[in-house]
Amino acid sequence: MVKHQPLQVYERQLCLSCITGIYGCRWKRYQRSHDDTTKWELLWSVILLFTFSLLLIWSYFWWEADNDYNEFNWFLYNRSGEWTDGTVPILATTAAGFTYIAFLMVLALCHVALGQQLNLHWLHKIGVTAALLTTVIGIISVTQTWEQEWDVIPISFQATGPFLHVGALAAATALSWIVAGQVARAEKTIFQVVVVLLYLSVLLGLYVLPLYLTSPCITDPSTLKPRPEVFGHQGAPMLAPENTLWSFQRALQMNVSGLEADVAISVDGVPFLMHDLTLRRTTDVGKVFPDREKDKASQFNWTDLQQLNAGQWFLKDDPFWTVNTMTLREKNLTAKQSVCSLEQLLSLASYHNSTVVFRLRRPPPEHPCYATWINDTLQAVQKSGVPQSLVMWTPDDERAQVTRSAPGFIQTSLEKHSPEHLHRLGISRLLLRYNQASAREIAEYSRNNISLTVYTVNEPWLYSVLWCSGVSAVSSEAPHILKKVPYPVWLMSPNEYCLMWVSADLLSFAVVIGIFILQKYRMSGMRSYNPEQIMLSAAVRTSSRDVNVMKEKLIFSVQPH
């Protein structure tokens, strides 16, 4: 008599093969396992999760820091002496690293969902370690050289917080499928309780998180203050070489309300516009005066400065990747730019009735104008014929004397002080970096009639947050971009936000409950189910086109007569 054991066949699990193959190089069925993950592999899973979280923060930082990319490149220039766009390799490696680690995280979650043992391949372990070390080194480097830029994260949360909350809530809700599967599959009650409590704690935290989220853009639209004025910081340096007449003309074409410049003083007492301490980056001083290339800008006289070209570097370095958008006429005008004097800028501003704010750099002690720099600048202002009401005066030195000589100047401070202290000094305006004043301080200055101008604001999201906060004006390197922002990027009333928040929470809770019930129903009676293996009896269809026969045993036994 012949006994037949049921035919054992296996489905083609292409998706599962790819998941286990890519993650742990386990392409064969017999290499897979439903056993518990080893402690060593659990450690690597924790390292992978930590690396993913760190890269997420790092990527978000660079995404929001795009407002200050030029500032970062300038820091690099001061260290290396060569102008390069250092953000390009950072952004490229960050994007590649985050994509790679996020892909591994998805594969790890798929392993957990399918009940497969986690077994990260050694090549991936090297990749995760490299990504982790690179990110840590990058964070340390930024902290040491550009620490103030970390403030962009809490500031950006004012613009992105409500939407990041909804995204995090959606992700946590989606993870409930895996959590519910693990709970339903587990045999130990203690494990089920711990997992459920941890998950519900995270979920509850997300549900109440909006109580701690604040944004000036969550306000009654009727209380929105007028659109902040836009000052051209060094003109329009994304469209023309900074601190040149052509740059300021380009800014005025973008309907700016004011112009901002950096002022140095030549050895013969002429105030001129220059941001750097030297002339290397923005002029052809190395070609005209090769022996004086590294000399400070204030060590040149005005006659020498007029011989320098201040526009060709812009066409050569293309610092903002905008040269290819320029017309032939614009390129010709750019190539002919020279060093601009303060008097020329003020004459241009006077003609267009535009406010001017300039930061005056005091020359070194050995400079001939070290003691007279305030008077030299004041004379240049008066000589230009600009109305005093258009000049925002920033130097603190001899401010009382300047006030007596030019009482019409708008006295402006570069240092943050209390409104009371500013009023005592006769100062009615502040010029601060955008991270130096909180929304509460901005409101306080506004209540005390102190106008606040913040710099440097290039991105619409930051402009919108500052607008909602109530700043009077912003200084921007991108007036052509802010020109296209007639209204905050988003603005909603507290009631609208509350409705969005509560609706998202209720929807998430309902979905989570539904998923837990569904997973419990699916997993009941299936604890020993192997997703790869199906036992078929002889009654099963005989067609083998859709299955791959792995093994068949025939057992012969002879019955005694």
Side-chain angles (χ1 to χ4, degrees):
M1 182 178 178
V2 178
K3 289 185 178 180
H4 291 271
Q5 184 171 321
L7 187 64
Q8 184 173 292
V9 296
Y10 297 90
E11 290 182 340
R12 284 194 177 96
Q13 297 287 324
L14 296 180
C15 182
L16 183 59
S17 297
C18 289
I19 291 173
T20 58
I22 296 173
Y23 188 82
C25 201
R26 294 178 295 170
W27 298 96
K28 305 298 183 181
R29 178 189 58 80
Y30 63 82
Q31 293 176 320
R32 301 170 198 154
S33 173
H34 288 271
D35 296 336
D36 292 338
T37 302
T38 64
K39 293 182 179 180
W40 173 248
E41 291 299 332
L42 280 176
L43 175 61
W44 273 105
S45 299
V46 173
I47 294 174
L48 176 61
L49 177 61
F50 178 74
T51 304
F52 172 77
S53 302
L54 207 61
L55 263 172
L56 184 62
I57 297 172
W58 181 246
S59 301
Y60 180 81
F61 168 78
W62 281 103
W63 179 269
E64 298 300 340
D66 59 349
N67 182 82
D68 304 312
Y69 284 171
N70 185 53
E71 182 182 285
F72 177 73
N73 290 332
W74 189 70
F75 284 156
L76 294 182
Y77 169 78
N78 287 333
R79 285 174 169 263
S80 66
E82 297 293 333
W83 181 268
T84 57
D85 193 343
T87 62
V88 172
I90 292 176
L91 295 175
T93 54
T94 299
F98 181 74
T99 302
Y100 170 63
I101 297 299
F103 182 59
L104 290 181
M105 276 296 301
V106 171
L107 292 178
L109 291 175
C110 290
H111 275 72
V112 175
L114 294 172
Q116 287 288 318
Q117 185 185 53
L118 291 171
N119 186 16
L120 187 64
H121 193 260
W122 64 270
L123 282 176
H124 289 319
K125 291 175 181 177
I126 294 176
V128 171
T129 303
L132 177 60
L133 292 177
T134 303
T135 306
V136 169
I137 292 172
I139 291 175
I140 294 174
S141 300
V142 167
T143 302
Q144 291 178 342
T145 61
W146 203 24
E147 183 178 4
Q148 64 179 358
E149 191 61 21
W150 286 114
D151 292 337
V152 78
I153 291 183
I155 293 173
S156 67
F157 281 161
Q158 298 179 30
T160 62
F163 309 101
L164 290 178
H165 167 252
V166 173
L169 195 59
T173 303
L175 282 176
S176 66
W177 181 267
I178 297 176
V179 175
Q182 291 297 303
V183 171
R185 190 182 293 117
E187 297 180 356
K188 295 182 179 180
T189 305
I190 184 66
F191 176 81
Q192 294 175 320
V193 172
V194 170
V195 170
V196 170
L197 287 178
L198 285 175
Y199 177 71
L200 291 181
S201 298
V202 173
L203 206 59
L204 181 62
L206 288 175
Y207 286 163
V208 301
L209 182 61
L211 292 174
Y212 305 96
L213 284 177
T214 59
S215 173
C217 295
I218 302 176
T219 185
D220 187 348
S222 63
T223 64
L224 183 66
K225 293 193 174 182
R227 185 177 186 270
E229 296 179 340
V230 177
F231 283 28
H233 182 72
Q234 301 174 351
M238 293 187 181
L239 305 177
E242 63 186 56
N243 284 323
T244 61
L245 274 180
W246 174 229
S247 181
F248 292 110
Q249 289 168 351
R250 290 289 281 151
L252 291 168
Q253 291 173 6
M254 303 300 150
N255 300 322
V256 298
S257 302
L259 303 172
E260 181 184 352
D262 305 284
V263 178
I265 299 180
S266 65
V267 291
D268 50 350
V270 178
F272 64 97
L273 311 187
M274 188 60 55
H275 179 262
D276 297 4
L277 292 177
T278 69
L279 303 168
R280 292 178 60 199
R281 181 173 67 90
T282 57
T283 72
D284 59 347
V285 64
K287 177 181 178 182
V288 180
F289 302 107
D291 296 336
R292 305 176 64 188
E293 182 179 7
K294 296 183 179 180
D295 289 356
K296 292 184 177 180
S298 58
Q299 293 176 344
F300 289 76
N301 60 42
W302 180 238
T303 302
D304 293 340
L305 292 170
Q306 286 181 303
Q307 299 181 45
L308 302 176
N309 183 287
Q312 291 177 351
W313 73 273
F314 185 85
L315 299 175
K316 174 178 174 292
D317 293 340
D318 195 7
F320 295 97
W321 307 76
T322 54
V323 170
N324 61 346
T325 65
M326 299 170 62
T327 64
L328 182 60
R329 173 182 171 277
E330 290 171 344
K331 290 181 180 179
N332 289 334
L333 283 171
T334 298
K336 296 176 182 178
Q337 292 304 300
S338 58
V339 177
C340 180
S341 69
L342 176 61
E343 183 179 342
Q344 290 174 317
L345 169 63
L346 293 173
S347 298
L348 178 67
S350 178
Y351 179 79
H352 290 275
N353 196 36
S354 177
T355 303
V356 175
V357 55
F358 53 88
R359 280 178 280 191
L360 184 61
R361 186 166 61 244
R362 187 172 190 173
E366 65 275 9
H367 195 278
C369 300
Y370 177 75
T372 62
W373 64 301
I374 294 293
N375 286 332
D376 292 336
T377 305
L378 196 57
Q379 289 176 9
V381 174
Q382 294 170 339
K383 185 178 178 180
S384 69
V386 64
Q388 292 184 6
S389 59
L390 296 179
V391 177
M392 292 173 59
W393 184 267
T394 61
D396 286 326
D397 298 69
E398 303 179 31
R399 190 182 289 273
Q401 175 188 340
V402 172
T403 302
R404 288 192 296 270
S405 302
F409 283 177
I410 304 172
Q411 293 299 322
T412 306
S413 175
L414 300 176
E415 300 292 333
K416 185 170 70 173
H417 298 289
S418 67
E420 296 77 16
H421 180 75
L422 294 174
H423 283 312
R424 284 197 300 270
L425 297 177
I427 295 173
S428 60
R429 196 145 194 162
L430 275 177
L431 179 63
L432 303 175
R433 194 177 189 270
Y434 67 83
N435 66 326
Q436 290 181 301
S438 64
R440 181 184 57 81
E441 291 172 325
I442 293 172
E444 183 181 1
Y445 285 129
S446 179
R447 286 194 302 270
N448 288 274
N449 298 319
I450 301 293
S451 298
L452 178 62
T453 302
V454 295
Y455 64 90
T456 307
V457 180
N458 300 326
E459 291 298 315
W461 72 263
L462 181 56
Y463 182 65
S464 299
V465 168
L466 294 168
W467 183 348
C468 296
S469 298
V471 300
S472 304
V474 302
S475 179
S476 175
E477 296 169 333
H480 61 295
I481 294 177
L482 300 190
K483 180 183 178 182
K484 301 175 183 177
V485 186
Y487 198 73
V489 173
W490 68 270
L491 182 68
M492 67 176 74
S493 68
N495 290 336
E496 290 173 334
Y497 178 60
C498 185
L499 177 62
M500 181 185 77
W501 159 34
V502 173
S503 299
D505 284 358
L506 291 176
L507 179 61
S508 169
F509 184 73
V511 171
V512 168
I513 294 298
I515 288 176
F516 267 81
I517 294 174
L518 178 61
Q519 284 287 55
K520 182 174 179 59
Y521 173 77
R522 288 182 67 250
M523 293 297 178
S524 59
M526 299 174 61
R527 295 184 186 277
S528 60
Y529 171 70
N530 186 335
E532 288 186 310
Q533 180 175 312
I534 299 178
M535 302 298 294
L536 298 178
S537 66
V540 177
R541 65 182 185 277
T542 57
S543 174
S544 60
R545 294 180 180 179
D546 298 328
V547 296
N548 186 24
V549 179
M550 302 297 295
K551 180 172 58 174
E552 181 180 10
K553 293 183 178 179
L554 294 176
I555 303 176
F556 295 88
S557 64
V558 180
Q559 299 292 336
H561 295 285

